[in-house]
Amino acid sequence: MTSNDDRVPENRYESPRAWRDVDDYFSRALVPEDDALVAARESGARTTMPNAEVAANQGALLGLITRISGARRVLEFGTLAGYSTIWFARAVGPEGRVVTLELEEDNARVARENLDRAGVSSQVSVVVGPAADSAATLIAQGEPPFDLVFIDADKPSNPIYLDAALRLTGTGAVIIIDNVVRNGAVTATDSDDPRVRGVQAVTQAIAAHPELDATALQTVGVKGWDGLIVARRR
Ligand code: SAM
């Protein structure tokens, strides 16, 4: 990132007007949120991490990837208010299943309200506790394989979550990791930010894994400058 480039924000959560306008243009045209999604987004203000849910067009992308891949079972690390969870639950359909892992009971309570309002509660299990422990329990219980895993919790733990995802998926599974660009900080090899280091470590782990095909995309928009990794298990 160049400091004299006035199109690029210094702060991860800053978002130039043009980026927001383009997101608004496409979201209004292609991704109309219904009342349940609007309520879920707005209720983020009652969680421990306001404004940390994916943008509407990103939620729609997650739903489309779920449908395109034919995923019926989704595992999510990081529920917050259940905004992305609703997109997954609608995409897997009434016969599908979403297990979403959340640290904070208060956030889980807000999420359950939103899942109820969206009419998808019967397809979703919200599991409260540290996601590494919850995932270990799923592994120990012999949980059937998931078709898609979305990693969007605490970023320093990304490598742990990837490892758990690999234990909980089989051939053809899709793994998506959010917030991997971090306003460009991902390229700072000397970064002492544990979130950046978590992204770098998981990127290296994916690169070294013989069964994973992957790419990463930068995104700009209402959530600033960030991006996601999409991987598929051979
Ligand atoms: N996926 C959500 C969405 O797009 O609507 C946003 C998730 S938000 C970025 C991250 C969530 O991970 C927060 O709700 C936070 O409480 C949760 N979290 C943080 N550390 C965690 C941990 N160790 N185990 C489980 N959840 C954790």
Side-chain angles (χ1 to χ4, degrees):
M1 162 177 172
T2 55
S3 57
N4 62 353
D5 185 343
D6 63 7
R7 293 167 303 167
V8 176
E10 292 294 333
N11 182 296
R12 169 167 144 63
Y13 292 106
E14 283 176 26
S15 192
R17 177 66 186 267
W19 297 2
R20 284 182 277 132
D21 286 349
V22 171
D23 260 6
D24 288 347
Y25 172 80
F26 283 116
S27 291
R28 267 202 308 276
L30 303 175
V31 193
E33 291 175 314
D34 66 1
D35 290 348
L37 283 169
V38 171
R41 170 178 305 293
E42 291 177 350
S43 69
R46 292 191 279 125
T47 68
T48 58
M49 293 182 69
N51 199 34
E53 70 285 336
V54 295
N57 50 0
Q58 295 166 344
L61 177 66
L62 295 174
L64 281 168
I65 293 173
T66 304
R67 290 178 198 266
I68 291 166
S69 67
R72 284 285 170 269
R73 289 175 48 77
V74 172
L75 174 64
E76 176 177 61
F77 291 81
T79 314
L80 196 64
Y83 183 81
S84 53
T85 320
I86 293 171
W87 282 102
F88 285 124
R90 289 178 169 171
V92 298
E95 305 303 316
R97 183 115 209 103
V98 180
V99 177
T100 182
L101 312 180
E102 170 56 45
L103 179 65
E104 306 285 350
E105 177 57 50
D106 287 351
N107 295 350
R109 192 176 312 114
V110 174
R112 289 191 188 102
E113 289 170 20
N114 288 323
L115 297 168
D116 271 347
R117 191 181 292 106
V120 295
S121 288
S122 62
Q123 294 134 259
V124 182
S125 301
V126 183
V127 181
V128 178
D133 295 350
S134 302
T137 301
L138 293 174
I139 295 164
Q141 289 172 344
E143 180 78 15
F146 290 96
D147 306 309
L148 188 149
V149 179
F150 181 48
I151 298 177
D152 188 23
D154 53 312
K155 311 307 169 184
S157 300
N158 276 347
I160 295 169
Y161 299 152
L162 175 67
D163 187 59
L166 290 167
R167 291 167 190 267
L168 287 161
T169 56
T171 303
V174 177
I175 299 172
I176 303 172
I177 305 175
D178 201 13
N179 306 127
V180 299
V181 172
R182 315 203 66 80
N183 216 31
V186 67
T187 59
T189 49
D190 59 349
S191 175
D192 55 8
D193 181 336
R195 296 164 301 181
V196 171
R197 298 188 70 83
V199 171
Q200 293 168 336
V202 82
T203 302
Q204 294 309 313
I206 290 171
H209 198 286
E211 291 176 14
L212 291 175
D213 297 317
T215 189
L217 290 179
Q218 302 183 66
T219 56
V220 295
V222 294
K223 300 289 175 173
W225 178 24
D226 215 327
L228 71 166
I229 289 175
V230 180
R232 180 183 179 274
R233 196 163 184 178
R234 273 182 230 132

